[in-house]
Amino acid sequence: MMVLKFLSRNKLYTAVTIVGFSLSLAFILLLGIFIRQEFSIDKFHTNADRIFLLAQDKLTAYSANPVADLIKDNLPEVESYTRIASLDVTVDVDFNLKIKAHATFVDAAFFEIFSFKLNHGTAASVLKMRNSAVISESFARKFFPEKNLIGEVITVNDSIVLNITGIMEDFPLNTQMPDTDILINYQTLDRFWDVPESNILTAWGISNFSVYILAKQGCDLPSKSSAVLELFLKHNYWLYTSDYAKEVTFIPLKEVYFSGVQTMAGKIKTNNKTTVLIYGIIALLILIVAVLNYINLSVAQAGQRIHKTAIKKLLGSNNRDIILSFIKESILITSISLFLAFILAFLFKDIFEQILNTKLYIVKQLTDVTFLIITILGVFIVGIMTGLIPALAVFKVNLAEVLKGTYSRKVKMVYSKIFISLQYLVAFVLLACCGFIAKQTIEMQNHDLKFNYQNLYRVFGLIKPENRQGLKSALERISGIEMISFSGSPLSGYSVTAFNYDGKPLSFDCYYVDSSFFNILEIKVNPTGVAKTEHSIWVNKMGYEALQVDRISHSFSIENNIYHILGVFDNIIYKPLRYKSGMLMVFPHKPDDNIYECLIKTALPINSKTISKIKETYLQFNIADVEISSGDDHINNWYSEEKKTINIIAIFAVITFAILIMGIVAMTLYYVQQNKKNICIRKVYGANINDILIMCNRFFL
């Protein structure tokens, strides 16, 4: 009751403390939930401790398709495997419409290796057939709401018929697997992967795929890395006979997400562990600021409470009783703040999800016993700490100092300076970090990429050869569109080709383009003057130097095919600057190729009306649900993690300063109250308002 009476009589102190604490705790809760979710990635799988990603090292995990069978046939420690490849495909729905879907190709053992849930079908059988497919619950509900799809067929990419053998729950957020609408049996990949190889399933030259291996119980698979390396060298696997890779690594499933490993067709989700830990440090700093603010206010209040404390001591109260009263008050404030923080967390949830590009399961986390215990215990510990420090300052009071009136000044000058300085130090560090990362990100975004992506748009949708010219003509009639190119580009992914050349292995990143590619991107090309042939290509300067071709014929030979270089172009930057852009080879589309990308150059940024016209034009050729994105969007996405960090730090810097300002306002009022006598005397002796303001603000400045 005494605690409640004190809090009710000191409304400003109570309000500032509770608002500061609850605001801090709300964002600490949200960050805590996010961090906990990040560290729970793929830990729900029954076989999680036995699953490994085959990699070259901790940063790259590229494999050719025959690799998986080679390892399983030669290593008795391997129980099973599944390869992973992701592609965007089109699916026929009612009314002759085609919609885009995210497809992931997996081997038949996928559901036996991983513990993803099936709503219909059994793990051992759903993907056994070559043309079998499993669709996600949300995809089925959205596009086929009236149908029982089990046993039905769907047509993909206009001609490939798949049998629906199962329906799965959507992949949860806490998995590294790519977002997926359809799981397709891996043996069907050769019908989707349009490459010159005779069969992508048996081709050793393309190492774009991810391989997950399930080890047998009790086996130490990582210890077999050297044996696998010898196996690859024995079979002349180019990735290892070259200087590209020198070791074999088995990354445990639970470590893949934070390994930062790069994959190609697998599109496995990863995150930077350091970034997540930085978020945790920021949350801790905010908590420290809130705690320091509370301690500072409590110590400032000591001047008003010290006489009552002295009287209690004279009447027989011991130090233990005084300390407990402070701790009770602190625990009550932190408990109220925690309750308000839960409410604020729900209110700020959507904003937080948007900033972090994630989904937070607040209810699930808050109903988790472990999380609740940790949260309540943490608040209880904070309550004890924030109550103990002011109590220790007060119960050491000397009655003589109380009578002289010097104790409050001593507290103010020593404790307040320390706590306020620490608070501002934290705030300025956050601001400095935010400014540094923001400047670095702006520098990266404005870096010269050697191609022009301004007013450039990428449209994704399957374009059949017979529709190519008609679609191009129709798009050109739309007002504002200046140029069109059916080409892959730095705005999308690239493929990789590798070959032996003059006794040394070379690896090139590749794009397939039409004749407008270089004009629409404004890439400078130096023509070689050779005539166009069936095997004509363009290479960047880095690739041209590596090939060391004859400077007259500008040709070179790969596997009995002679390639002629039509031109050499600048070393464009087609990857985020944190990665090195390498040797690039550009192939012209063949007349009978299916094309999935269209680049559109406009005079001005396009509006919603133009976007609608583009979609309507595609619809005339039975291409629905096309995806339109701008060049700016793609370049911005390269640095989304940096922007996410900037936003988080900026938000917490604002929160820190909000807490500081509330604390300083309250401190100022208490400071003025303590110095009323001093101020009155100065005014009697002629001090003006400016002198009084200087006196009051000198300490805070």
Side-chain angles (χ1 to χ4, degrees):
M1 290 298 293
M2 293 295 293
V3 171
L4 291 174
K5 185 182 291 185
F6 171 77
L7 294 177
S8 63
R9 287 180 177 176
N10 295 270
K11 294 181 177 62
L12 179 64
Y13 161 78
T14 305
V16 168
T17 304
I18 290 176
V19 170
F21 251 137
S22 58
L23 193 61
S24 303
L25 289 176
F27 280 89
I28 291 168
L29 276 173
L30 289 169
L31 262 187
I33 291 170
F34 170 73
I35 293 169
R36 195 164 188 258
Q37 287 182 183
E38 291 293 285
F39 279 98
S40 69
I41 298 294
D42 283 312
K43 292 184 178 178
F44 61 90
H45 297 290
T46 304
N47 299 321
D49 294 328
R50 296 195 289 136
I51 303 172
F52 298 86
L53 174 65
L54 178 65
Q56 285 71 57
D57 47 48
K58 290 291 184 180
L59 296 176
T60 53
Y62 306 146
S63 296
N65 279 321
V67 161
D69 279 323
L70 180 67
I71 293 176
K72 189 175 187 304
D73 293 342
N74 288 274
L75 256 69
E77 291 83 4
V78 175
E79 180 176 318
S80 187
Y81 70 80
T82 182
R83 293 162 292 184
I84 303 287
S86 294
L87 290 174
D88 287 335
V89 300
T90 59
V91 179
D92 290 358
V93 296
D94 291 337
F95 309 113
N96 202 28
L97 292 180
K98 298 176 177 63
I99 53 98
K100 190 183 86 167
H102 301 297
T104 301
F105 295 80
V106 297
D107 284 293
F110 180 79
F111 284 105
E112 295 178 283
I113 295 174
F114 297 100
S115 301
F116 296 114
K117 293 181 180 179
L118 282 164
N119 293 338
H120 298 281
T122 60
S125 62
V126 284
L127 290 169
K128 216 166 188 178
M129 295 167 50
R130 173 177 163 80
N131 287 329
S132 57
V134 175
I135 63 174
S136 69
E137 185 72 44
S138 62
F139 188 79
R141 194 165 50 246
K142 182 177 180 181
F143 294 107
F144 305 97
E146 305 299 328
K147 289 184 179 180
N148 178 12
L149 289 175
I150 302 299
E152 294 289 327
V153 297
I154 57 172
T155 303
V156 181
N157 283 9
D158 209 44
S159 60
I160 303 170
V161 177
L162 299 176
N163 299 302
I164 304 300
T165 55
I167 296 177
M168 66 175 184
E169 288 189 10
D170 291 9
F171 283 163
L173 187 69
N174 60 335
T175 181
Q176 62 197 259
M177 290 298 155
D179 296 331
T180 299
D181 298 314
I182 308 173
L183 282 180
I184 303 175
N185 183 289
Y186 205 89
Q187 296 301 316
T188 318
L189 184 65
D190 59 346
R191 301 183 64 188
F192 290 84
W193 202 274
D194 189 16
V195 293
E197 308 288 343
S198 58
N199 190 338
I200 192 66
L201 296 172
T202 58
W204 285 90
I206 299 180
S207 296
N208 280 18
F209 311 100
S210 305
V211 178
Y212 287 89
I213 296 174
L214 177 65
K216 290 180 180 178
Q217 289 279 6
C219 291
D220 183 11
L221 188 61
S223 67
K224 301 298 177 181
S225 296
S226 58
V228 176
L229 178 59
E230 291 179 12
L231 196 62
F232 287 159
L233 293 172
K234 181 181 177 182
H235 283 76
N236 292 318
Y237 183 18
W238 72 268
L239 207 63
Y240 290 87
T241 55
S242 68
D243 290 331
Y244 190 90
K246 296 182 179 179
E247 59 182 297
V248 173
T249 304
F250 292 101
I251 305 177
L253 180 71
K254 293 179 181 179
E255 297 178 12
V256 173
Y257 184 69
F258 284 126
S259 67
V261 66
Q262 291 185 55
T263 60
M264 295 293 288
K267 296 182 182 177
I268 295 165
K269 291 185 286 188
T270 60
N271 200 354
N272 190 318
K273 190 174 184 178
T274 302
T275 302
V276 177
L277 291 175
I278 287 172
Y279 293 160
I281 292 170
I282 291 171
L284 182 62
L285 288 174
I286 295 299
L287 180 61
I288 290 171
V289 168
V291 168
L292 290 176
N293 193 61
Y294 176 36
I295 293 172
N296 204 20
L297 289 172
S298 297
V299 172
Q301 281 278 53
Q304 292 187 350
R305 305 174 69 171
I306 204 165
H307 288 86
K308 293 181 180 179
T309 303
I311 293 171
K312 285 181 180 180
K313 291 187 72 173
L314 289 173
L315 294 175
S317 294
N318 56 35
N319 293 335
R320 178 176 172 275
D321 295 331
I322 295 171
I323 292 173
L324 281 176
S325 67
F326 274 91
I327 291 175
K328 286 177 183 178
E329 173 195 315
S330 183
I331 290 175
L332 178 62
I333 287 177
T334 51
S335 299
I336 295 171
S337 299
L338 179 62
F339 175 75
L340 293 176
F342 285 147
I343 297 173
L344 290 173
F346 279 100
L347 294 176
F348 294 138
K349 173 178 172 287
D350 292 342
I351 299 172
F352 209 77
E353 287 178 341
Q354 188 176 0
I355 292 170
L356 288 174
N357 191 27
T358 188
K359 184 172 178 60
L360 298 177
Y361 298 103
I362 293 183
V363 176
K364 182 180 178 181
Q365 294 287 353
L366 294 183
T367 54
D368 181 78
V369 176
T370 304
F371 186 80
L372 271 177
I373 291 174
I374 292 172
T375 303
I376 294 171
L377 187 62
V379 169
F380 188 75
I381 292 171
V382 169
I384 292 175
M385 288 175 55
T386 52
L388 193 59
I389 295 175
L392 291 175
V394 171
F395 89 81
K396 292 180 179 178
V397 60
N398 185 295
L399 294 181
E401 287 185 350
V402 173
L403 295 174
K404 292 177 182 178
T406 58
Y407 184 77
S408 62
R409 179 171 179 81
K410 184 187 295 184
V411 170
K412 175 191 69 185
M413 295 304 294
V414 177
Y415 291 101
S416 295
K417 278 187 177 180
I418 293 172
F419 292 145
I420 290 175
S421 298
L422 283 174
Q423 285 176 285
Y424 272 104
L425 176 63
V426 171
F428 288 136
V429 166
L430 286 174
L431 277 182
C433 291
C434 185
F436 178 80
I437 299 172
K439 190 175 187 302
Q440 185 80 353
T441 304
I442 291 169
E443 290 287 340
M444 291 191 291
Q445 285 180 303
N446 294 331
H447 192 83
D448 183 12
L449 304 180
K450 302 296 179 67
F451 69 90
N452 187 1
Y453 59 87
Q454 299 300 318
N455 297 333
L456 185 71
Y457 298 86
R458 172 183 179 261
V459 186
F460 179 90
L462 173 62
I463 306 166
K464 298 178 69 176
E466 60 268 24
N467 291 334
R468 193 185 302 178
Q469 190 55 48
L471 177 60
K472 185 174 183 179
S473 299
L475 288 171
E476 286 174 341
R477 289 194 291 269
I478 298 175
S479 176
I481 292 181
E482 293 185 335
M483 198 181 304
I484 294 166
S485 175
F486 295 123
S487 303
S489 74
L491 304 186
S492 58
Y494 52 87
S495 59
V496 178
T497 186
F499 50 87
N500 284 312
Y501 181 72
D502 282 349
K504 62 179 181 180
L506 290 179
S507 176
F508 278 78
D509 299 327
C510 305
Y511 290 115
Y512 293 85
V513 306
D514 67 8
S515 58
S516 304
F517 172 76
F518 294 105
N519 288 333
I520 201 168
L521 290 176
E522 299 179 22
I523 297 174
K524 185 180 178 182
V525 181
N526 295 317
T528 59
V530 301
K532 189 173 182 180
T533 65
E534 182 184 357
H535 296 295
S536 295
I537 61 169
W538 297 267
V539 296
N540 65 353
K541 291 178 180 178
M542 191 187 303
Y544 189 76
E545 291 170 3
L547 289 169
Q548 297 180 345
V549 298
D550 180 77
R551 301 289 169 158
I552 299 175
S553 66
H554 300 285
S555 62
F556 62 97
S557 177
I558 305 175
E559 298 177 356
N560 300 322
N561 290 321
I562 298 176
Y563 289 85
H564 296 87
I565 299 175
L566 296 175
V568 181
F569 58 93
D570 288 343
N571 295 321
I572 65 171
I573 296 173
Y574 55 96
K575 297 178 184 179
L577 288 173
R578 69 178 75 92
Y579 305 118
K580 183 180 179 181
S581 295
M583 296 185 292
L584 199 57
M585 192 175 286
V586 175
F587 295 88
H589 277 305
K590 295 177 181 177
D592 57 348
D593 283 348
N594 284 327
I595 296 172
Y596 293 87
E597 292 182 68
C598 174
L599 298 178
I600 294 177
K601 186 79 170 181
T602 60
L604 298 170
I606 62 176
N607 52 31
S608 57
K609 186 177 179 181
T610 306
I611 291 174
S612 298
K613 286 183 179 179
I614 293 172
K615 290 183 176 181
E616 288 169 6
T617 304
Y618 266 78
L619 199 58
Q620 293 172 14
F621 295 87
N622 296 325
I623 309 168
D625 197 37
V626 294
E627 187 179 89
I628 302 175
S629 52
S630 71
D632 286 321
D633 290 338
H634 282 272
I635 302 303
N636 289 338
N637 285 337
W638 283 3
Y639 307 109
S640 58
E641 287 301 316
E642 286 83 358
K643 287 187 173 182
K644 191 188 296 182
T645 304
I646 292 169
N647 291 335
I648 288 293
I649 295 177
I651 287 173
F652 278 88
V654 170
I655 293 171
T656 303
F657 274 103
I659 296 169
L660 284 172
I661 290 168
M662 287 188 293
I664 291 297
V665 168
M667 281 287 296
T668 303
L669 293 175
Y670 289 125
Y671 177 81
V672 171
Q673 288 177 0
Q674 290 176 358
N675 285 273
K676 281 190 293 187
K677 184 177 180 181
N678 192 359
I679 292 170
C680 290
I681 293 172
R682 286 172 180 266
K683 290 190 73 175
V684 168
Y685 281 94
N688 58 34
I689 190 67
N690 290 331
D691 296 329
I692 302 299
L693 286 173
I694 290 171
M695 182 198 77
C696 292
N697 283 287
R698 185 184 295 121
F699 165 74
F700 296 104
L701 290 173

